[in-house]
Amino acid sequence: MHEVLINVKDGVPYPNTLVYHTPWYRDAFIIAMCLQVTNNEGLILSWINSLEDVYDYNIEDKEADNLGQLLYLISLSPKEERNEQLIQIVLHEAQSISVKDETEIDCYISGYTDGAILPVYQTLLLKFGLENLSMKDDFDISLPADYYTDLLWVYKKKKVSHLKYVLKSIYKRSIKRDFAYPYLDWAKAHYHCSTFAPVSAQSYPLSWEYGGNNADLEKMLIIDADALKKNVLYPHAWHAAEMFLYLLEFKTSS
């Protein structure tokens, strides 16, 4: 948990406070889940209430998964403090990037995430955000899962009929640790109840990321003279949060 909290600076959740100069909704989403289960969400409520943009604009593409992540973040604020105008802007944006299939049954959002079009992942995140706001949900999707769908371990126990096909079509995990972006493997391990996910062999820090979009890796030289050469940054809040939430669930259920 320390490696999550150390990356919350002045009430703003960063992937890493040294090398990232702006927060990412994708990282903030899982950091906020970690803070919520430990009753620490108050640490970032001022930042959440100050948000004005649907997208975090950390890369050139408008990333469609930001919509659901943002709605979830807003849901953490007390109802009377929520930015209702921003919620409506998000819903309008969701409609503008929505797709209806030829049967007029499926309605889902579709856009870019990490440079790829991942409508299942994006739509399930949107549905999760709407659910946490107790809002009407007109989105439905029965496409086969994409390769980010099993990051959403929050859906693994949901008994929702219209998701059965999607969740059954989850890709089988390859036996390969993702040492560059270990938070992805931890999220997938959480979904599949697997123990196969990377963790540092040293006592601290346990979390990291190699490279990273817009990461100012030269800042890592303050604490590691070889970091720039290694192309590594640490600790990493998303990685730490995924580990914490995984261990919290399986320790509680054991």
Side-chain angles (χ1 to χ4, degrees):
M1 186 63 183
H2 176 264
E3 294 182 30
V4 175
L5 293 174
I6 201 172
N7 288 307
V8 178
K9 180 181 179 182
D10 299 326
V12 181
Y14 294 90
N16 175 285
T17 55
L18 276 178
V19 306
Y20 284 101
H21 305 305
T22 57
W24 293 62
Y25 289 172
R26 191 174 307 137
D27 298 70
F29 169 76
I30 196 67
I31 293 168
M33 291 188 69
C34 194
L35 295 177
Q36 185 181 28
V37 299
T38 56
N39 298 314
N40 284 303
E41 65 268 29
L43 294 174
I44 62 171
L45 285 185
S46 292
W47 171 72
I48 290 172
N49 293 336
S50 73
L51 296 175
E52 297 178 346
D53 295 318
V54 174
Y55 299 104
D56 59 29
Y57 295 107
N58 279 306
I59 64 171
E60 185 176 344
D61 295 322
K62 293 180 177 179
E63 298 193 288
D65 55 318
N66 282 177
L67 277 64
Q69 292 151 1
L70 180 55
L71 290 181
Y72 167 73
L73 290 169
I74 294 172
S75 77
L76 297 180
S77 290
K79 194 169 184 179
E80 64 275 9
E81 296 179 15
R82 291 174 185 167
N83 188 336
E84 296 294 337
Q85 182 179 6
L86 183 55
I87 292 173
Q88 293 306 313
I89 294 172
V90 172
L91 296 179
H92 182 269
E93 182 67 12
Q95 289 297 331
S96 73
I97 62 171
S98 66
V99 176
K100 277 198 172 183
D101 72 356
E102 61 276 5
T103 67
E104 294 293 315
I105 296 174
D106 275 14
C107 179
Y108 53 90
I109 62 171
S110 182
Y112 285 98
T113 292
D114 282 345
I117 296 175
L118 305 171
V120 175
Y121 170 71
Q122 295 155 356
T123 303
L124 291 185
L125 268 174
L126 178 63
K127 292 173 73 65
F128 184 73
L130 290 167
E131 178 183 339
N132 279 273
L133 286 167
S134 300
M135 297 187 69
K136 182 182 178 183
D137 178 4
D138 294 325
F139 294 91
D140 203 356
I141 189 165
S142 59
L143 296 175
D146 51 56
Y147 62 82
Y148 265 18
T149 305
D150 54 352
L151 298 184
L152 296 176
W153 48 264
V154 294
Y155 272 107
K156 69 179 180 176
K157 294 181 179 178
K158 288 185 177 291
K159 297 178 180 178
V160 184
S161 59
H162 65 268
L163 294 180
K164 283 182 179 177
Y165 175 70
V166 171
L167 300 183
K168 283 182 179 179
S169 67
I170 292 285
Y171 290 122
K172 295 286 187 182
R173 296 183 66 245
S174 59
I175 305 301
K176 176 185 177 183
R177 288 187 174 95
D178 192 336
F179 284 104
Y181 310 111
Y183 37 81
L184 300 180
D185 230 22
W186 273 91
K188 290 169 183 281
H190 198 158
Y191 188 97
H192 296 281
C193 302
S194 167
T195 58
F196 197 83
V199 63
S200 175
Q202 59 191 15
S203 58
Y204 182 87
L206 298 175
S207 59
W208 71 88
E209 179 187 50
Y210 279 91
N213 284 317
N214 295 342
D216 184 4
L217 284 175
E218 289 191 359
K219 299 293 187 190
M220 278 298 300
L221 296 177
I222 298 171
I223 59 174
D224 185 349
D226 294 325
L228 191 59
K229 181 170 61 177
K230 296 174 182 175
N231 198 35
V232 66
L233 62 98
Y234 56 77
H236 194 275
W238 183 1
H239 184 191
E242 290 286 5
M243 286 194 288
F244 179 84
L245 292 166
Y246 173 100
L247 294 170
L248 183 67
E249 176 174 335
F250 289 104
K251 180 181 178 181
T252 303
S253 60
S254 63

